[in-house]
Every structure is written in C-alpha cells, then in structure tokens.
Amino acid sequence: RRFKRRRWPSRNKSRRACRGGPTIAGWAWSSRLIGRILLEMLRGLMGLIIGSVAGGLGRYAVTAGFARTSLRGFWATWTVNLAGCFLMGLFHAWAEVRFRISVEQRLLLMSGFCGAFTTFSAFALDTAGLIRSGHGIGAAAYVASSVVLGLGMFYAGAWVGR
C-alpha cells in the first residue's frame, strides 16, 4: 500500500466524518498525499524545462553551424525539423514498445527536447521568405520535401527504436 490507512476507534463510529475529514474509499486526504501529487507535477515540469533548454541549445548549435557554411537560410530549419522528426519517432518507439519510459521522461524527450529543437514558425518564415524572393517552385519543393521526408524520418526513427 502506498499510504497508511487511518484506523478509526470502533467504539464511536459517528466521529468518523468529523475527525479525518472527507475520505474516498477509506483513504483520508492528507497533506502527505497533496505533497506527493505536487512532487510528481514538479518532476514533470522539471523534465519539460530541462528538455526545452537542451533542445533550444541543440537548435542554436545546428543553426550556428549552418551560418558558418554556404548553406544558409532554410537549410538549417529543414535539417533540424527532419532530425527532430527522426528523434520523435525514435522516442515514441522507446516510449511505447521498447523501454516503456515514464511520463516525466516523455515530457523531457518528446515535448521538451523535440518541441524546442524543431519549430513550425521558422518553417513558415523560411517558406514565406522563399516566396517573397521569387522562388515559388523552391518554396513548394521545400514544403513538400519537409512534409514527406519528415513523415519518412519519423517512421525511420520508430523503426530504429523498435
């Protein structure tokens, strides 16, 4: 049993509702239970924060690496989004099939890291920039390749994770 069950004196059962307050199935609400719930929420939040920081730093590193090369513009976003799709598929397979990771670990890896690492807003900004500069066919190819290859990378990651 996770929590101790309160024992009530058998001689005067009418005091049961007054002494312990409201109960659910014999378990009394206590500050210990509330503290445990808050601790679980805090663990999930910390996992989300740590994953977001790591994902943001990873995205910055990839973008800074592309800034030093001749491949500038949408290539960094394209690479990061495809790598993020692969990682999301890998983490999904780990969560569901292989390792059965906890909710806190899912928040860290999937919502935190992959959410901060990839970005749809940069994808939209880069696509609009290509259209604005007169590269409509390039913008269409960018969108199509991002969606098709993104799904392919997700399934590749899920396959590797199994």
Side-chain angles (χ1 to χ4, degrees):
R1 292 184 182 172
R2 289 178 86 175
F3 304 104
K4 286 186 175 180
R5 187 173 180 181
R6 285 196 178 175
R7 293 279 195 207
W8 302 102
S10 59
R11 61 189 163 153
N12 192 353
K13 293 183 181 181
S14 64
R15 289 185 167 185
R16 185 177 284 186
C18 298
R19 282 186 101 182
T23 61
I24 295 178
W27 297 90
W29 287 95
S30 67
S31 59
R32 185 174 175 186
L33 177 63
I34 293 171
R36 194 176 282 256
I37 291 170
L38 290 175
L39 184 62
E40 288 179 17
M41 288 173 52
L42 185 62
R43 280 189 200 139
L45 183 62
M46 289 306 296
L48 183 66
I49 290 169
I50 291 168
S52 296
V53 168
L57 290 173
R59 178 174 179 73
Y60 175 77
V62 171
T63 303
F66 270 94
R68 294 184 184 138
T69 67
S70 61
L71 297 173
R72 292 190 177 132
F74 69 90
W75 288 107
T77 304
W78 188 76
T79 303
V80 162
N81 285 341
L82 292 181
C85 287
F86 177 82
L87 290 173
M88 185 67 85
L90 180 72
F91 297 152
H92 177 72
W94 284 357
E96 297 295 322
V97 177
R98 195 166 200 180
F99 297 115
R100 305 271 185 208
I101 61 177
S102 68
V103 173
E104 291 85 9
Q105 292 167 332
R106 288 180 192 207
L107 284 171
L108 186 141
L109 295 173
M110 298 171 83
S111 298
F113 182 80
C114 289
F117 187 62
T118 62
T119 179
F120 191 74
S121 57
F123 170 72
L125 179 68
D126 292 339
T127 304
L130 284 171
I131 292 170
R132 194 176 312 120
S133 65
H135 296 97
I137 295 174
Y142 175 53
V143 169
S145 67
S146 292
V147 172
V148 171
L149 291 176
L151 285 171
M153 293 299 282
F154 176 83
Y155 286 115
W159 181 77
V160 168
R162 291 173 195 248

Short mmCIF file of all heavy atoms in Angstrom, two decimals, residues 5 9 14-15 17 20 24 38 53 58 71 77 82 103 106 111-112 124 126 129-131 147-148 150:
data_model
loop_
_atom_site.label_atom_id
_atom_site.label_comp_id
_atom_site.label_asym_id
_atom_site.label_seq_id
_atom_site.Cartn_x
_atom_site.Cartn_y
_atom_site.Cartn_z
N ARG A 5 -3.54 3.55 5.92
CA ARG A 5 -4.98 3.73 6.08
C ARG A 5 -5.25 4.13 7.53
O ARG A 5 -4.70 3.54 8.46
CB ARG A 5 -5.69 2.43 5.75
CG ARG A 5 -7.16 2.56 5.72
CD ARG A 5 -7.78 1.30 5.24
NE ARG A 5 -9.21 1.47 5.24
CZ ARG A 5 -10.06 0.56 4.89
NH1 ARG A 5 -9.62 -0.61 4.52
NH2 ARG A 5 -11.35 0.80 4.92
N PRO A 9 -11.46 4.53 15.82
CA PRO A 9 -11.88 3.77 17.01
C PRO A 9 -13.23 3.10 16.75
O PRO A 9 -14.16 3.72 16.23
CB PRO A 9 -12.00 4.82 18.11
CG PRO A 9 -11.64 6.12 17.51
CD PRO A 9 -11.33 5.93 16.08
N SER A 14 -19.54 7.38 14.95
CA SER A 14 -20.14 8.63 14.50
C SER A 14 -19.11 9.73 14.37
O SER A 14 -19.34 10.72 13.71
CB SER A 14 -21.25 9.06 15.45
OG SER A 14 -20.70 9.33 16.73
N ARG A 15 -17.97 9.61 15.00
CA ARG A 15 -16.92 10.63 14.91
C ARG A 15 -16.11 10.50 13.62
O ARG A 15 -15.29 11.36 13.33
CB ARG A 15 -15.96 10.49 16.08
CG ARG A 15 -16.55 10.89 17.37
CD ARG A 15 -15.47 10.82 18.40
NE ARG A 15 -15.90 11.48 19.60
CZ ARG A 15 -15.13 11.67 20.63
NH1 ARG A 15 -13.88 11.25 20.60
NH2 ARG A 15 -15.58 12.27 21.70
N ALA A 17 -16.61 10.97 10.42
CA ALA A 17 -16.66 12.07 9.46
C ALA A 17 -16.03 13.33 10.03
O ALA A 17 -15.47 14.13 9.29
CB ALA A 17 -18.09 12.36 9.06
N GLY A 20 -11.40 12.89 10.53
CA GLY A 20 -10.45 12.85 9.42
C GLY A 20 -10.85 13.68 8.23
O GLY A 20 -10.09 13.82 7.29
N ILE A 24 -12.14 9.07 0.61
CA ILE A 24 -12.53 8.40 -0.62
C ILE A 24 -12.08 6.97 -0.48
O ILE A 24 -10.89 6.69 -0.36
CB ILE A 24 -11.87 9.06 -1.85
CG1 ILE A 24 -12.38 10.46 -2.01
CG2 ILE A 24 -12.11 8.22 -3.09
CD1 ILE A 24 -11.77 11.21 -3.16
N LEU A 38 2.00 17.11 -5.80
CA LEU A 38 2.77 18.28 -6.22
C LEU A 38 4.19 17.90 -6.63
O LEU A 38 4.74 18.47 -7.57
CB LEU A 38 2.79 19.32 -5.11
CG LEU A 38 1.47 20.03 -4.85
CD1 LEU A 38 1.59 20.95 -3.64
CD2 LEU A 38 1.02 20.80 -6.07
N VAL A 53 15.49 23.37 -22.62
CA VAL A 53 16.80 24.03 -22.66
C VAL A 53 17.75 23.26 -23.55
O VAL A 53 18.45 23.84 -24.41
CB VAL A 53 17.37 24.20 -21.23
CG1 VAL A 53 18.82 24.61 -21.27
CG2 VAL A 53 16.55 25.21 -20.45
N GLY A 58 20.53 22.77 -28.71
CA GLY A 58 20.83 21.95 -29.89
C GLY A 58 20.44 22.65 -31.18
O GLY A 58 21.19 22.63 -32.16
N LEU A 71 25.59 27.06 -46.89
CA LEU A 71 24.19 26.65 -46.83
C LEU A 71 23.47 27.45 -45.75
O LEU A 71 23.36 27.03 -44.61
CB LEU A 71 24.08 25.15 -46.53
CG LEU A 71 24.65 24.22 -47.58
CD1 LEU A 71 24.62 22.80 -47.07
CD2 LEU A 71 23.88 24.34 -48.87
N THR A 77 16.79 25.09 -40.82
CA THR A 77 15.45 24.73 -40.35
C THR A 77 15.04 23.37 -40.92
O THR A 77 14.48 22.53 -40.20
CB THR A 77 14.43 25.80 -40.75
OG1 THR A 77 14.86 27.06 -40.25
CG2 THR A 77 13.05 25.49 -40.23
N LEU A 82 13.81 17.76 -39.85
CA LEU A 82 13.90 16.35 -40.22
C LEU A 82 14.58 15.54 -39.13
O LEU A 82 14.14 14.43 -38.81
CB LEU A 82 14.64 16.19 -41.55
CG LEU A 82 13.90 16.73 -42.78
CD1 LEU A 82 14.72 16.49 -44.04
CD2 LEU A 82 12.53 16.12 -42.91
N VAL A 103 6.18 9.04 -17.78
CA VAL A 103 5.59 10.29 -18.26
C VAL A 103 6.59 11.43 -18.15
O VAL A 103 6.69 12.27 -19.05
CB VAL A 103 4.31 10.61 -17.45
CG1 VAL A 103 3.77 11.98 -17.80
CG2 VAL A 103 3.26 9.55 -17.68
N ARG A 106 8.98 11.15 -20.99
CA ARG A 106 8.33 11.57 -22.24
C ARG A 106 8.28 13.09 -22.34
O ARG A 106 8.52 13.66 -23.40
CB ARG A 106 6.91 11.03 -22.32
CG ARG A 106 6.82 9.57 -22.58
CD ARG A 106 5.39 9.14 -22.65
NE ARG A 106 5.29 7.70 -22.63
CZ ARG A 106 4.30 7.02 -23.17
NH1 ARG A 106 3.33 7.64 -23.76
NH2 ARG A 106 4.29 5.72 -23.09
N SER A 111 8.20 16.30 -25.57
CA SER A 111 7.65 17.66 -25.51
C SER A 111 8.74 18.69 -25.32
O SER A 111 8.75 19.72 -25.98
CB SER A 111 6.64 17.78 -24.37
OG SER A 111 5.56 16.90 -24.57
N GLY A 112 9.67 18.42 -24.41
CA GLY A 112 10.71 19.39 -24.10
C GLY A 112 11.76 19.49 -25.19
O GLY A 112 11.89 20.51 -25.86
N ALA A 124 7.55 28.20 -41.46
CA ALA A 124 6.65 29.12 -42.15
C ALA A 124 7.38 30.39 -42.59
O ALA A 124 7.16 30.91 -43.70
CB ALA A 124 5.47 29.47 -41.24
N ASP A 126 10.62 30.75 -43.27
CA ASP A 126 11.51 30.44 -44.38
C ASP A 126 10.73 30.24 -45.68
O ASP A 126 11.18 30.66 -46.76
CB ASP A 126 12.34 29.19 -44.07
CG ASP A 126 13.34 29.43 -42.96
OD1 ASP A 126 13.68 30.59 -42.70
OD2 ASP A 126 13.78 28.43 -42.35
N GLY A 129 9.73 33.59 -46.92
CA GLY A 129 10.91 34.26 -47.48
C GLY A 129 11.25 33.77 -48.88
O GLY A 129 11.62 34.57 -49.75
N LEU A 130 11.11 32.48 -49.10
CA LEU A 130 11.36 31.94 -50.45
C LEU A 130 10.33 32.46 -51.44
O LEU A 130 10.67 32.82 -52.58
CB LEU A 130 11.33 30.41 -50.42
CG LEU A 130 12.55 29.71 -49.82
CD1 LEU A 130 12.30 28.22 -49.66
CD2 LEU A 130 13.76 29.93 -50.71
N ILE A 131 9.07 32.51 -51.04
CA ILE A 131 8.02 33.02 -51.93
C ILE A 131 8.25 34.50 -52.23
O ILE A 131 8.15 34.94 -53.37
CB ILE A 131 6.63 32.78 -51.31
CG1 ILE A 131 6.33 31.28 -51.28
CG2 ILE A 131 5.54 33.53 -52.08
CD1 ILE A 131 5.10 30.92 -50.48
N VAL A 147 7.45 17.87 -45.49
CA VAL A 147 6.35 17.03 -45.02
C VAL A 147 6.61 15.56 -45.33
O VAL A 147 6.52 14.70 -44.44
CB VAL A 147 5.01 17.50 -45.64
CG1 VAL A 147 3.90 16.52 -45.32
CG2 VAL A 147 4.66 18.89 -45.14
N VAL A 148 6.95 15.26 -46.56
CA VAL A 148 7.14 13.87 -46.97
C VAL A 148 8.35 13.26 -46.26
O VAL A 148 8.27 12.16 -45.68
CB VAL A 148 7.28 13.76 -48.51
CG1 VAL A 148 7.69 12.36 -48.92
CG2 VAL A 148 5.98 14.15 -49.19
N GLY A 150 9.76 14.39 -43.58
CA GLY A 150 9.52 14.42 -42.14
C GLY A 150 8.77 13.19 -41.67
O GLY A 150 9.12 12.57 -40.66
#
